[in-house]
Amino acid sequence: MVKIRKIINELSPYVPGRSINEIAAEYGLKKEEIIKLGSNENPMGPSPKAMAAIEEEIKKISQYPESGLGDLKEEIANYSRVNPEQVIIGGDGADEIIEMLGKTFMDPGFEFIVALPSYMYYEYILQTYEAVPAYAKWDVEENKLDVQSVLDALSDKTRLVFLCTPNNPTGGLIDKKDIKTILEATDALVVVDEAYFEFSLVDNVDLLEDYSNLFIMRTFSKVLGLAGMRIGYGLAHPQIIEYMHRAKPVFSLTKLSHAAALATLRDPDYIKESTELSITSREFLYQEISKIDNIRIFPSKSNYLLMDIRETGMNAAQLSKELLKKGIIVRDCTSFKGLDEYWIRASVGTLEEDEKFIKILKELVSSR
């Protein structure tokens, strides 16, 4: 029998959401009628300019992709108000950026901090480098970071501190002064995950000038509508970026992803409309679900909303299944450390999809 690393043998596989094909087959639904509100995707779809760019570039897929990505770095730098040497691009969404952080900064036995509940893929990836999680707290009731818990978790073994803002799955923001407090308390790299920053109309790029231990992580998967193309990027001090490039695969971004990313950033009207649609949808969902007596919904600065459903008489698995039967996919948040079995998260949809979701949700919870 071949030998497997101990940590891999002990690691539970990451379980992604089920596909529309699987759900349609199990519940006898038409695929085109299923409403997907579980993955925080863009209900508007991609930029038409991105689709045209892919159609043109597909003729060249017999060639290797670009390695330097200078034109895309330039566009990202302009979009993010930084210099191109402060940009690194990943070819598996923000997940490859996390992978590169692990390769560059983690040694076995050293620690990274996550405030729970938050995005769990940080832990999933970094454990493969035999890194040790140190948990801080996100105060769900107040929907804010417990800053002191982060400071208390710092040690001489801390290499990375993850701060997700807006936080996934709660949708709350971390105040800039709190980020500065943490940056000034450690020489570890503080990773501010801004995957959803466009929906909040707030970012932390201005802090890069004064803090060399700040790393901002972003993605093309949300407001930019390219989740299927798998493009992520990071912003940091040029020396940090140079170190990470040493660990980065040379051809990690495909030709089609490269073309789609460039075209999207060069389509400001699409980005503006996409942002406005998601914010409008979010506020509509919040207002309407707030009217349902036995669901507690939390305000959000992202493109999803967290709901406490314990008063409905169902747990998250039960309600999620009942919604699936009706063709609505939401996220059962039981797998998020720091939450119990009574939380679901719903992404924004088109207003037509939102209305159908709310109608079905009301029917399900009022029948109990």
Side-chain angles (χ1 to χ4, degrees):
M1 182 66 179
V2 295
K3 300 296 183 183
I4 300 170
R5 289 175 59 213
K6 181 174 182 289
I7 186 63
I8 300 300
N9 193 48
E10 294 173 351
L11 193 65
S12 298
Y14 184 82
V15 181
R18 298 170 65 197
S19 72
I20 285 179
N21 286 339
E22 290 175 316
I23 292 165
E26 180 170 349
Y27 295 106
L29 301 168
K30 295 180 180 178
K31 289 188 291 185
E32 62 273 15
E33 293 178 354
I34 294 174
I35 297 174
K36 193 178 180 187
L37 304 179
S39 300
N40 306 338
E41 295 162 339
N42 190 328
M44 187 171 162
S47 160
K49 292 184 179 179
M51 290 189 285
I54 290 170
E55 187 174 352
E56 179 63 28
E57 195 68 12
I58 203 166
K59 303 169 188 175
K60 305 174 187 176
I61 60 171
S62 62
Q63 305 168 7
Y64 281 104
E66 298 297 322
S67 58
L69 303 174
D71 51 358
L72 183 53
K73 286 182 181 177
E74 189 79 40
E75 290 293 344
I76 290 172
N78 290 337
Y79 181 69
S80 305
R81 310 186 313 280
V82 299
N83 297 316
E85 61 268 24
Q86 293 177 276
V87 177
I88 189 166
I89 300 169
D92 186 21
D95 294 344
E96 186 178 78
I97 300 296
I98 302 170
E99 185 84 38
M100 285 187 282
L101 289 168
K103 287 180 178 179
T104 307
F105 296 101
M106 298 309 305
D107 283 310
F110 282 83
E111 297 175 352
F112 62 95
I113 296 173
V114 182
L116 302 178
S118 192
Y119 184 49
M120 293 309 301
Y121 213 71
Y122 312 135
E123 183 174 349
Y124 180 76
I125 291 178
L126 294 181
Q127 282 187 100
T128 66
Y129 295 94
E130 299 180 61
V132 179
Y135 298 122
K137 179 184 177 183
W138 185 278
D139 186 330
V140 177
E141 293 300 320
E142 297 293 329
N143 205 2
K144 63 186 291 187
L145 178 68
D146 182 336
V147 180
Q148 189 59 50
S149 73
V150 178
L151 300 177
D152 291 343
L154 290 168
S155 76
D156 58 2
K157 289 191 172 184
T158 304
R159 290 281 183 85
L160 298 171
V161 180
F162 287 94
L163 303 176
C164 190
T165 179
N167 188 45
N168 180 12
T170 69
L173 285 175
I174 302 175
D175 195 285
K176 196 182 296 283
K177 67 177 176 56
D178 293 333
I179 295 174
K180 291 170 69 174
T181 295
I182 295 166
L183 283 163
E184 292 167 4
T186 181
D187 59 1
L189 190 67
V190 177
V191 182
V192 176
D193 186 345
E194 290 189 346
Y196 302 92
F197 84 95
E198 287 101 338
F199 306 111
S200 71
L201 309 178
V202 173
D203 67 59
N204 297 282
V205 169
D206 58 304
L207 298 181
L208 287 169
E209 184 175 353
D210 296 322
Y211 296 97
S212 60
N213 63 328
L214 171 62
F215 185 91
I216 294 175
M217 184 167 65
R218 293 178 172 177
T219 180
F220 277 71
S221 296
K222 310 306 176 184
V223 83
L224 300 179
L226 294 176
M229 301 305 290
R230 310 306 300 133
I231 312 156
Y233 64 100
L235 312 171
H237 187 279
Q239 185 64 69
I240 296 293
I241 298 298
E242 194 277 325
Y243 284 136
M244 291 179 67
H245 268 117
R246 298 181 192 184
K248 181 183 180 296
V250 176
F251 298 117
S252 68
L253 198 68
T254 69
K255 292 185 78 69
L256 301 186
S257 296
H258 184 181
L262 276 175
T264 301
L265 290 177
R266 293 169 179 170
D267 191 357
D269 291 340
Y270 164 81
I271 297 172
K272 181 175 184 289
E273 186 179 355
S274 170
T275 305
E276 290 173 350
L277 169 65
S278 289
I279 291 174
T280 299
S281 173
R282 179 188 72 203
E283 297 309 307
F284 176 75
L285 283 171
Y286 178 75
Q287 293 298 327
E288 292 303 310
I289 296 173
S290 294
K291 298 173 185 176
I292 303 175
D293 290 338
N294 48 0
I295 293 179
R296 185 163 59 123
I297 187 167
F298 287 71
S300 172
K301 291 296 184 180
S302 192
N303 69 336
Y304 49 79
L305 295 128
L306 183 68
M307 287 166 263
D308 179 347
I309 62 162
R310 69 191 69 242
E311 297 300 323
T312 65
M314 291 179 278
N315 62 29
Q318 291 166 333
L319 181 53
S320 297
K321 185 173 182 178
E322 292 303 314
L323 286 165
L324 273 182
K325 292 176 182 178
K326 303 289 186 179
I328 307 289
I329 304 172
V330 297
R331 177 63 186 268
D332 172 353
C333 291
T334 305
S335 62
F336 281 88
K337 291 181 179 178
L339 294 178
D340 62 20
E341 68 271 29
Y342 295 101
W343 301 85
I344 64 169
R345 188 195 67 198
S347 313
V348 301
T350 64
L351 290 180
E352 181 182 1
E353 290 171 335
D354 293 345
E355 288 172 350
K356 182 177 179 181
F357 167 53
I358 290 165
K359 180 177 182 292
I360 291 171
L361 182 63
K362 286 179 176 177
E363 290 172 353
L364 288 173
V365 301
S366 65
S367 64
R368 292 276 168 158

